Amino acid sequence: MDLADIGVTGLATMGRNLARNLARHGYAVAVHNRSHTRTQQLVKEFGGEGTFVPSEDLAGFVASLKRPRRAIIMVKAGAGTDAVIDQLADLMEPGDMIVDGGNAHFEDTRRREAALRERGLHFVGTGISGGEEGALHGPSIMPGGSKESWEALGPILQDISAKVDGVPCAVHVGPDGAGHFVKMVHNGIEYSDMQLIAESYDLLRQALGATPAELAGVFREWNEGDLGSYLIEITAEVLEQVDAETGKPFVDVVVDQAEQKGTGRWTVQSALDLGVPVTGIAEATFARALSGHPEQRAAAASLQGPKLSGVGGRELVEDVRQALYASKIVAYAQGFDQMAAASKEYGWDLDLGAMATIWRGGCIIRAVFLDRIREAYDANPNLPTLLADPTFAAALDVAQESWRRVVTTAVQIGVPTPGFSSALAYYDGLRRDRLPAALVQGLRDFFGAHTYRRVDKEGSFHTDWSGDRTEHPA
């Protein structure tokens, strides 16, 4: 039997398309699925695209792989992933490699990598972005794991990845769970990006009385400039869609409850642990949660809002464009801050400029301005925040008046814009030379003797609030 170069187990849409992508690039691909019917269907429908080596069970799957073996798992994250990993590991030999291409939590990846390393096996937690089309035609790929695993696996991943200006959208992210962490943050930024787009649509529709079809034209125009991105492009497509059954705009027949698979929550939870404010991602996650409580929304439907409507004109469209761009900068800046903090916490030595590079193609958040982010980190790898980069600082300065008018208009007419509002608050908080946190520290010391530091002396202090209110070194 001819042996396969690499294998894929788990042949749902993503796994099937990834296997086809590998085969199209000339690799012999071992394929396996718990239901053998799905394996047979893949070979029957797409066998002409390349060389597939099907197996009915995992033992046959592993036996069909060249040494050192490279097996990609594309199964649902969680206990199912652990079960498949355990079965594969028992069948493998030292030096073999298990690649998890699902949306696993990075802490699970760190645990699995350490356990398999003890057995002499390589475990590569790999973020894959781009959906089913990306998996087939070229995704953005974010592998973690050891440098040795990258040497064996990297050329294949770069071969099948998306390319921008001839540069593969795949790079070795870092050790253990780094790949899945970066993919998690990618998804968190994706949450924020979509929320900001939705707020732009909602505000313009409510304020101007514009139709979805008219707003599709606005987004299509925006896609030609600084906002050029995959999400802006498909927003125009979705807004232009007409429901065949009712003749109504597609967005008006879809239930307004946004679902989520958990990566947004993971991003926010991790940011809290790291002490990094990712307010845009948090607000986007909470906005989805709010949309998912129809019983509360129905109970609150009688609450009164402002009477204003029909405010603004073409100038509001331009203001919203500027606010959207500025808020997107903040969202990406916060995501990159989180990656920098995790890199320090876990010793990953992440190359933030490289992350911007591999997100330029294949992935959901691919956008024109990722080139500018890469340039910012090329110019200063130790940049404390993207907002301090001269190019982005200038863009925010240009946009800020429009940004403030948009938030004001939204408040005046009662349209919720948590994404825009939190991004602006973050911008204003970051640029302040002094924040009211000083009062917070005073209150903490008053009720809990938590101490505080002074601006004019070294050390920590406590005031005897219940006594004579004298200050003492802590």
Side-chain angles (χ1 to χ4, degrees):
M1 180 181 67
D2 291 334
L3 295 178
D5 301 303
I6 193 167
V8 178
T9 178
L11 301 176
T13 303
M14 284 290 289
R16 179 188 64 196
N17 282 2
L18 191 66
R20 291 174 60 196
N21 187 353
L22 287 160
R24 288 177 172 188
H25 280 81
Y27 299 101
V29 186
V31 288
H32 166 265
N33 193 76
R34 185 172 59 178
S35 167
H36 188 53
T37 302
R38 184 167 282 179
T39 307
Q40 293 173 313
Q41 184 179 6
L42 167 64
V43 176
K44 180 180 179 181
E45 290 186 32
F46 306 109
E49 294 183 344
T51 301
F52 295 102
V53 183
S55 296
E56 290 192 39
D57 54 34
L58 277 177
F61 173 73
V62 171
S64 71
L65 293 168
K66 292 178 183 176
R67 290 182 175 85
R69 301 177 180 93
R70 293 169 288 204
I72 302 175
I73 301 173
M74 297 296 291
V75 299
K76 187 176 180 180
T81 300
D82 278 318
V84 175
I85 290 171
D86 290 342
Q87 293 174 58
L88 281 175
D90 288 342
L91 295 165
M92 287 184 158
E93 301 171 345
D96 289 346
M97 184 187 311
I98 298 174
V99 182
D100 179 9
N103 271 335
H105 192 280
F106 78 97
E107 290 286 13
D108 287 336
T109 302
R110 298 187 76 213
R111 168 179 56 82
R112 292 162 180 159
E113 193 275 336
L116 292 183
R117 190 178 348 117
E118 289 292 318
R119 301 177 62 172
L121 299 174
H122 295 285
F123 185 72
V124 184
T126 302
I128 300 175
S129 179
E132 58 186 86
E133 287 300 306
L136 180 60
H137 299 294
S140 174
I141 309 178
M142 296 151 262
S146 66
K147 291 181 179 179
E148 293 81 4
S149 65
W150 171 250
E151 290 171 1
L153 185 66
I156 297 176
L157 298 183
Q158 290 186 324
D159 199 13
I160 68 168
S161 73
K163 312 291 188 302
V164 176
D165 300 328
V167 178
C169 293
V171 69
H172 182 227
V173 174
D176 54 73
H180 275 145
F181 185 92
V182 167
K183 175 57 163 57
M184 177 191 75
V185 174
H186 164 283
N187 285 21
I189 294 173
E190 179 185 305
Y191 272 52
S192 183
D193 211 338
M194 286 193 285
Q195 176 65 24
L196 292 168
I197 289 171
E199 290 177 18
S200 300
Y201 149 76
D202 190 29
L203 180 57
L204 289 175
R205 188 170 185 184
Q206 300 305 317
L208 304 180
T211 66
E214 290 169 339
L215 293 176
V218 170
F219 279 93
R220 191 163 283 115
E221 181 181 329
W222 287 354
N223 195 48
E224 299 301 316
D226 288 340
L227 287 171
S229 65
Y230 173 70
L231 284 172
I232 295 291
E233 176 187 340
I234 66 173
T235 296
E237 297 289 332
V238 172
L239 290 177
E240 201 170 51
Q241 180 74 4
V242 174
D243 177 55
E245 184 174 339
T246 64
K248 296 179 180 178
F250 170 77
V251 292
D252 288 346
V253 300
V254 175
V255 174
D256 61 338
Q257 297 174 32
E259 299 179 358
Q260 49 187 313
K261 292 186 176 180
T263 47
R265 289 195 301 271
W266 291 350
T267 308
V268 176
Q269 289 163 352
S270 166
L272 290 171
D273 290 337
L274 292 167
V276 178
V278 292
T279 54
I281 298 170
E283 290 294 354
T285 305
F286 290 138
R288 292 194 189 192
L290 176 64
S291 77
H293 287 280
E295 72 291 344
Q296 290 182 332
R297 294 165 58 198
S302 61
L303 296 177
Q304 297 302 303
K307 308 302 182 185
L308 291 175
S309 62
V311 301
R314 186 67 195 181
E315 66 277 6
L316 180 60
V317 176
E318 174 58 17
D319 280 348
V320 172
R321 185 190 72 81
Q322 293 274 16
L324 177 56
Y325 185 60
S327 299
K328 280 167 66 77
I329 292 173
V330 168
Y332 281 73
Q334 292 178 347
F336 275 80
D337 287 348
Q338 185 172 356
M339 289 190 290
S343 181
K344 183 177 180 180
E345 175 72 17
Y346 302 112
W348 285 338
D349 193 26
L350 297 184
D351 182 343
L352 298 182
M355 299 308 100
T357 298
I358 64 172
W359 286 351
R360 293 183 305 156
C363 69
I364 303 302
I365 65 170
R366 59 186 184 266
V368 170
F369 88 146
L370 280 161
D371 274 324
R372 295 173 189 162
I373 294 178
R374 181 193 59 185
E375 291 165 1
Y377 283 110
D378 284 347
N380 182 2
N382 298 314
L383 191 66
T385 169
L386 274 175
L387 274 58
D389 173 74
T391 299
F392 287 119
L396 291 168
D397 185 42
V398 168
Q400 69 160 313
E401 293 306 320
S402 291
W403 202 0
R404 297 181 192 285
R405 283 195 294 268
V406 164
V407 172
T408 300
T409 299
V411 171
Q412 287 177 330
I413 66 174
V415 173
T417 54
F420 284 149
S421 301
S422 67
L424 181 57
Y426 177 84
Y427 171 79
D428 281 337
L430 203 62
R431 68 180 183 80
R432 286 280 298 275
D433 63 339
R434 191 158 173 80
L435 292 168
L439 176 56
V440 173
Q441 283 299 89
L443 296 173
R444 293 179 72 243
D445 190 60
F446 191 107
F447 67 70
H450 292 297
T451 75
Y452 52 87
R453 289 178 292 118
R454 296 176 57 99
V455 298
D456 55 356
K457 297 178 183 179
E458 292 296 322
S460 296
F461 299 86
H462 166 62
T463 292
D464 185 5
W465 296 102
S466 60
D468 62 3
R469 301 206 171 188
T470 57
E471 182 180 80
H472 309 280

